[in-house]
Amino acid sequence: MEMEMRSMEDTEIATDMTPSLVPLTFSLHHSNLHTHCSSCFSLLPLSPIPITPFLYCSPPCSAAHPFLLHHPAVSHSSDLRAALLLLSHHRPSVTSSRVAGLLSNRHKLTCHNNSDEDEVSERISSGVRALATAITELRGELEPDDAVLEEAECALCAVLTNAVEVQDKEGRALGIAVYGPAFSWINHSCSPNACYRFILSPSSSSSSQESKLRIAPSSFRGSPDSRIDSGLCTITNHFQKEEEQNQGYGPRLIVRSIKRIKKGQEITIAYTDLLQSKAMRQLDLWSKYRFICCCMRCSVVPFTYVDHALQEISVSGCDFTSSSSSYNLVRDTAERRLNDSVDDIISEYLMAGDPEPCCEKLEKILMQGLCDELDNVEETPHYKFMLHPLHYLSLNAYTTLASAYKVRASDILSTTSTIYQNQLEAFDMSRTSAAYSLLLATTAHHLFNSESSLIASLANFWTGAGESLLYLARSSEWSKFFKSSLVASSVSKVKCSKCSLMDTFRAYICNGKIRNDDFENASNEFLDCISHDSTQKVWSFLVNGCRFLRSIKDPMDSGWLVSTSNSRATDPGALAKKKSEVCYLHESGNSIQTCEEQTCNENARVHIFELGVHCLAYGGLLAAICYGHHSHLASYVEQILDDKNNLIL
């Protein structure tokens, strides 16, 4: 029987739907065993408690973690350690293929109809043998029999099906955890109404102000209200047993609403990256969980605007219609080659750490696309494949370029920080990085306007844009290049006279409550404020050193999404003319600025600062809605805005 969770009451946005939930089982990834507590996943103190091969932050954590996890047969795998811990408290029901009420999905995971499924099945078989060996030895038996092998398979598949990756405050993967029905019975949607966050601290450090349980399973007979009441009783019993059996240890989890939810409405979360195309999401969900998503976003015909944009590729050089089989062949080939090209460039950058060729190659694809012949189509001309600016590969490129240009600036300053020309080049790299961060936030926000479940990604993008802009505005290089008379900017600039964003952010941080209408008003005012003021005043200054970015007149104006995708490879002569109209840093250290240029650049610094503060505050507001007003990201933003030293130019 497939389970689902529903809301027991009408719920506003930004509401905790559960108290902090303890896991049924958990395990650090092998790479984090020497840096984080194996029980609560918090960072280790200077003098951790060693119980080879694990380390713990405190005596209670070391006492709570079972010795059985030290068995050599499972020591190499977090999945196997988690499965063994699960079996120490819960014996699987082989007939129903469930463990602790959780679906194992083992019949789907172990079947194999193609080479990819064969590989997954073989990996599970190998893990089952190792797990069965550990179980048999711990029970004092000689050889694993069929019953033990079935138990091992059921437990391991339950972990693979229900485990979530536990992340720290910076989003780094620490390990995995499996939670009871209160969380694991929540189904996936590509347009979810809830998200979740982790609490990484010993049980004694948990907040005393726990939220009540606002969700319950509904797969019971009777009226909707009686089903919810019956489900609440069932889930409460599970919750109490989990607390008792696990002694309250392990990384805790809280489910939180990101939309208004009506009483009786199903609660859904995302099992995959929502900023992927529909095909990529379906592939990811099938490979991990063996199901095809049939949520409203995936089922609607034609595609939603967001999914159309995330996969749109223009193909020039062909004269057949978009409904023909030849066009579909061309388009499928285009997507495969573009995906391979972008993935190869990003992978090479991450492995080799050389940002310059990464920037050149990605920007070439963004501007010129790919030109190729199709071997499978007779008498084909050269086709040009262009990514839409909102294509998921374009978004990945913006993210990577923002990072790569920041690394380039750091590398230049770390090796030749005293040479004027190199300082100038590093400054240009920093503002190009800030421009890409801003471009990523504005393009993602365009998608968010049609799909509000993208709020968690948007929180990171706007915060990242704010950080990049404030870093640029505070740079000491301004005085070297501009003879700037601007010494300081009053902290009063943090409070904007044109929008209520700062007031809304601070009020929410103080009382932890926000209504959906208040959030929408703050969002609209924020966008209006930066669209008609800050962005237009700084964009031309930020992008002068980048040919691709100069083709975008205003990132807040959605009109460029159409014009740029239709004609990305702008005429070089037009670009030269555009460049002459932009106020930018001179390439020669001996150049003398006119009064008009100096004033423009000084004003640009102030506007960059103001825009950065706005972006940071808005990112903090989004983060508080997703993860709570005391979450790391929201608190981090509040700390920056409250620190006067961070707000002085």
Side-chain angles (χ1 to χ4, degrees):
M1 179 173 58
E2 185 174 323
M3 309 303 292
E4 62 184 33
M5 302 297 290
R6 295 188 177 271
S7 176
M8 295 189 292
E9 59 187 45
D10 290 340
T11 305
E12 271 287 350
I13 190 174
T15 302
D16 286 346
M17 306 296 288
T18 67
S20 60
L21 305 175
V22 297
L24 294 173
T25 183
F26 52 93
S27 180
L28 281 173
H29 291 319
H30 196 78
S31 58
N32 297 314
L33 288 177
H34 299 294
T35 56
H36 291 75
C37 174
S38 287
S39 181
C40 69
F41 286 25
S42 62
L43 276 170
L44 289 169
L46 294 177
S47 301
I49 300 173
I51 302 181
T52 306
F54 305 114
L55 298 173
Y56 301 92
C57 67
S58 64
C61 277
S62 63
H65 217 202
F67 182 78
L68 58 87
L69 297 183
H70 299 230
H71 196 283
V74 300
S75 61
H76 64 286
S77 166
S78 56
D79 291 334
L80 294 180
R81 289 196 299 271
L84 186 58
L85 178 58
L86 181 64
L87 282 173
S88 70
H89 295 308
H90 304 278
R91 296 294 288 270
S93 170
V94 178
T95 55
S96 65
S97 296
R98 288 185 178 271
V99 185
L102 307 185
L103 185 69
S104 70
N105 215 26
R106 68 190 184 104
H107 298 299
K108 291 184 178 180
L109 288 173
T110 54
C111 75
H112 38 88
N113 299 316
N114 55 52
S115 57
D116 291 337
E117 292 178 358
D118 286 344
E119 183 180 344
V120 172
S121 180
E122 177 55 36
R123 198 163 63 244
I124 291 175
S125 296
S126 175
V128 166
R129 290 192 292 270
L131 185 57
T133 299
I135 295 169
T136 302
E137 293 182 6
L138 290 169
R139 292 176 180 174
E141 300 171 358
L142 296 177
E143 294 288 337
D145 56 21
D146 290 344
V148 172
L149 288 169
E150 279 201 84
E151 281 186 36
E153 184 178 85
C154 198
L156 179 56
C157 288
V159 168
L160 295 175
T161 297
N162 296 281
V164 289
E165 195 160 63
V166 180
Q167 297 180 341
D168 65 8
K169 297 173 181 178
E170 282 73 40
R172 291 185 293 261
L174 300 179
I176 60 170
V178 176
Y179 297 86
F183 176 72
S184 292
W185 285 357
I186 300 177
N187 287 324
H188 163 82
S189 171
C190 294
S191 181
N193 54 22
C195 65
Y196 54 91
R197 70 180 187 273
F198 296 102
I199 300 175
L200 307 181
S201 62
S203 177
S204 57
S205 303
S206 298
S207 172
S208 60
Q209 297 180 339
E210 290 276 11
S211 171
K212 67 178 183 178
L213 191 64
R214 292 183 167 89
I215 62 176
S218 64
S219 297
F220 296 88
R221 294 181 179 179
S223 66
D225 285 343
S226 68
R227 291 202 302 267
I228 288 178
D229 291 340
S230 177
L232 175 60
C233 180
T234 300
I235 210 72
T236 301
N237 290 336
H238 274 289
F239 182 70
Q240 291 172 345
K241 289 179 181 178
E242 291 160 19
E243 287 276 4
E244 294 169 1
Q245 292 171 339
N246 211 23
Q247 303 178 46
Y249 286 89
R252 291 173 172 253
L253 175 146
I254 294 176
V255 179
R256 187 171 176 84
S257 65
I258 55 174
K259 297 177 183 177
R260 277 178 173 167
I261 303 175
K262 294 181 179 180
K263 181 178 179 179
Q265 185 176 347
E266 184 180 4
I267 306 300
T268 55
I269 58 174
Y271 294 5
T272 188
D273 181 3
L274 300 179
L275 278 173
Q276 298 181 103
S277 66
K278 176 183 173 181
M280 295 294 290
R281 297 197 308 272
Q282 297 283 18
L283 180 63
D284 188 44
L285 292 170
W286 179 258
S287 64
K288 292 179 180 177
Y289 307 108
R290 293 295 190 270
F291 75 85
I292 296 174
C293 182
C294 297
C295 71
M296 186 175 296
R297 177 179 168 188
C298 289
S299 302
V300 66
V301 179
F303 283 173
T304 64
Y305 170 76
V306 171
D307 279 332
H308 177 75
L310 286 172
Q311 69 166 25
E312 185 176 358
I313 294 174
S314 62
V315 183
S316 60
C318 58
D319 56 3
F320 33 72
T321 65
S322 60
S323 61
S324 67
S325 59
S326 297
Y327 176 85
N328 291 333
L329 174 61
V330 170
R331 201 204 165 286
D332 290 345
T333 302
E335 181 152 21
R336 185 179 68 253
R337 291 181 175 174
L338 283 166
N339 188 78
D340 290 345
S341 297
V342 173
D343 281 353
D344 288 347
I345 294 168
I346 294 176
S347 296
E348 182 182 355
Y349 164 57
L350 295 176
M351 292 180 63
D354 188 354
E356 187 169 357
C358 171
C359 294
E360 293 174 354
K361 293 175 183 178
L362 284 180
E363 287 176 339
K364 182 178 180 180
I365 289 179
L366 290 173
M367 290 187 64
Q368 301 176 12
L370 289 179
C371 296
D372 210 345
E373 291 184 357
L374 302 181
D375 298 333
N376 297 327
V377 180
E378 296 181 0
E379 299 180 359
T380 57
H382 284 279
Y383 294 97
K384 177 177 287 186
F385 309 141
M386 297 294 299
L387 290 172
H388 188 279
L390 294 176
H391 193 283
Y392 73 93
L393 291 176
S394 296
L395 301 181
N396 290 345
Y398 306 154
T399 305
T400 305
L401 286 164
S403 167
Y405 273 106
K406 184 177 180 180
V407 171
R408 289 178 67 179
S410 177
D411 289 348
I412 293 170
L413 291 177
S414 65
T415 55
T416 54
S417 59
T418 59
I419 301 175
Y420 178 90
Q421 190 64 32
N422 292 327
Q423 291 175 336
L424 179 61
E425 184 181 1
F427 186 84
D428 278 340
M429 297 296 104
S430 293
R431 58 177 170 171
T432 302
S433 172
Y436 273 114
S437 294
L438 183 59
L439 179 64
L440 176 63
T442 55
T443 49
H445 200 107
H446 183 76
L447 296 173
F448 171 74
N449 288 335
S450 299
E451 180 51 73
S452 62
S453 60
L454 301 176
I455 186 171
S457 297
L458 199 65
N460 292 321
F461 296 158
W462 278 118
T463 302
E467 286 180 313
S468 296
L469 291 165
L470 286 181
Y471 174 82
L472 181 64
R474 294 196 302 263
S475 172
S476 61
E477 311 305 317
W478 289 85
S479 59
K480 298 177 182 178
F481 303 138
F482 296 122
K483 301 178 182 179
S484 177
S485 60
L486 184 64
V487 178
S489 178
S490 171
V491 179
S492 64
K493 284 188 176 292
V494 175
K495 184 174 177 62
C496 179
S497 61
K498 300 176 183 178
C499 71
S500 60
L501 173 62
M502 305 302 169
D503 292 334
T504 303
F505 174 70
R506 294 189 184 282
Y508 182 39
I509 291 297
C510 289
N511 59 42
K513 296 180 180 180
I514 188 170
R515 295 172 61 252
N516 190 71
D517 292 343
D518 294 334
F519 167 61
E520 289 183 356
N521 289 336
S523 294
N524 291 333
E525 289 184 5
F526 160 71
L527 293 174
D528 187 65
C529 184
I530 68 171
S531 296
H532 294 94
D533 193 2
S534 301
T535 307
Q536 293 181 359
K537 294 178 179 177
V538 306
W539 183 250
S540 61
F541 178 83
L542 293 176
V543 305
N544 77 83
C546 178
R547 182 180 174 186
F548 165 68
L549 291 173
R550 287 202 308 271
S551 68
I552 304 168
K553 184 178 181 181
D554 181 358
M556 292 299 298
D557 182 2
S558 59
W560 80 271
L561 297 172
V562 178
S563 61
T564 310
S565 61
N566 289 338
S567 180
R568 185 66 60 79
T570 311
D571 176 64
L575 284 173
K577 181 180 180 181
K578 183 181 288 289
K579 182 174 181 179
S580 69
E581 298 170 350
V582 175
C583 176
Y584 61 100
L585 289 173
H586 295 293
E587 296 180 358
S588 170
N590 297 321
S591 298
I592 300 175
Q593 289 183 295
T594 66
C595 293
E596 183 179 355
E597 287 173 330
Q598 180 175 336
T599 301
C600 176
N601 287 318
E602 289 179 357
N603 288 337
R605 187 183 187 190
V606 174
H607 294 311
I608 289 170
F609 165 78
E610 292 174 342
L611 179 59
V613 169
H614 276 74
C615 294
L616 197 64
Y618 188 64
L621 179 62
L622 295 174
I625 288 172
C626 289
Y627 308 118
H629 61 294
H630 291 312
S631 66
H632 168 71
L633 188 53
S635 299
Y636 165 73
V637 171
E638 182 187 22
Q639 180 181 356
I640 291 180
L641 295 179
D642 285 343
D643 188 345
K644 294 184 178 181
N645 292 325
N646 286 323
L647 301 176
I648 297 295
L649 300 186

